Amino acid sequence: MKNEVKIHEVDPSLNNRRSFLKLSGLTLVSAGLVLAGCSNNDDDNDMQDNTLPGIKNGVFDLGSGDFGVLTYAYALEQLEADFYTKVVNASNFNSTFNDIERQVLTDLYHHEVIHRDFFKAALTGALPDPSSQLLPSLAFNYGSMNFNSRNDVLATAKALEDTGVAAYNGAGKLIKSADYLLLAGKIVSVEARHASAIRSLINPNSKDFAGDDIVNTSTGLDVAKDPSKILPIAGGFITTKFTANYLP
């Protein structure tokens, strides 16, 4: 997580990217209403055959099918929201980052909190028994990471954002509901912009924002990874035990 990071050279294009980030995050406020509404449709019978999230063999399992994928996304969004909350509340946040960097990181913080709260509200409204089937609030540990270190914060943010994009891309094929797939597509587009913004902070005035290292050279598309590949990475920060036995 401690990749070398270039320091404090401001990429002028970041102001435009930051404006777009601010606008793109707002689309999820209305999207949450769509998900909660379509989830309660009587026509969503394909959900009934899926394994629902909940306690299995004494441990919470994410489940499978659409509910399993949404719960999986909720777990990842909890991690990102927690990380950026700690970033913007670090004791030396104002002195560690310059003005543009603080603005970008603060925008990302607001986006990830919206994403987390969106999934919590949507799943609460959609699950048959949210009191037992809603993933609880997770606990996290970042080890020796220093939230007052610019290098540590940006390197970890890059890893989390790249992982998040790959996670949504990999989960898309598992979603049956067209409405849910559309919403996942909207969220991953925001996450991809996050990844681009972080890369521009790390290496200003470069082509790194396009992320050539995470594009599949045979397809020309962003890397996509199954939950079984993503969770061991994210699990390095998550201390709350849960399983994903019904997801690939």
Side-chain angles (χ1 to χ4, degrees), residues 54 92-93 140 147 156 166 194 206 211 228:
N92 293 334
F93 178 64
F140 307 93
F147 280 92
T156 304
H194 290 182
S206 73
S228 61

Side-chain angles (χ1 to χ4, degrees), residues 50-152:
N50 294 327
T51 302
L52 291 167
I55 302 294
K56 296 174 179 61
N57 299 318
V59 181
F60 192 96
D61 189 90
L62 301 183
S64 67
D66 286 5
F67 281 134
V69 174
L70 296 178
T71 302
Y72 163 61
Y74 177 39
L76 297 179
E77 296 296 352
Q78 283 196 49
L79 169 58
E80 290 189 311
D82 182 82
F83 171 75
Y84 286 110
T85 297
K86 287 181 169 61
V87 168
V88 301
N89 286 288
S91 57
N92 293 334
F93 178 64
N94 289 334
S95 59
T96 300
F97 300 98
N98 64 37
D99 288 345
I100 293 295
E101 292 167 345
R102 289 197 303 273
Q103 291 168 358
V104 169
L105 290 168
T106 300
D107 285 346
L108 267 58
Y109 154 69
H110 287 301
H111 292 180
E112 300 301 357
V113 168
I114 290 172
H115 293 180
R116 178 199 65 199
D117 293 348
F118 156 69
F119 277 110
K120 182 177 182 178
L123 284 164
T124 298
L127 287 166
D129 182 12
S131 64
S132 65
Q133 296 164 347
L134 179 68
L135 180 72
S137 296
L138 303 175
F140 307 93
N141 187 310
Y142 300 91
S144 61
M145 205 203 88
N146 180 3
F147 280 92
N148 288 314
S149 163
R150 182 177 181 275
N151 279 5
D152 279 14

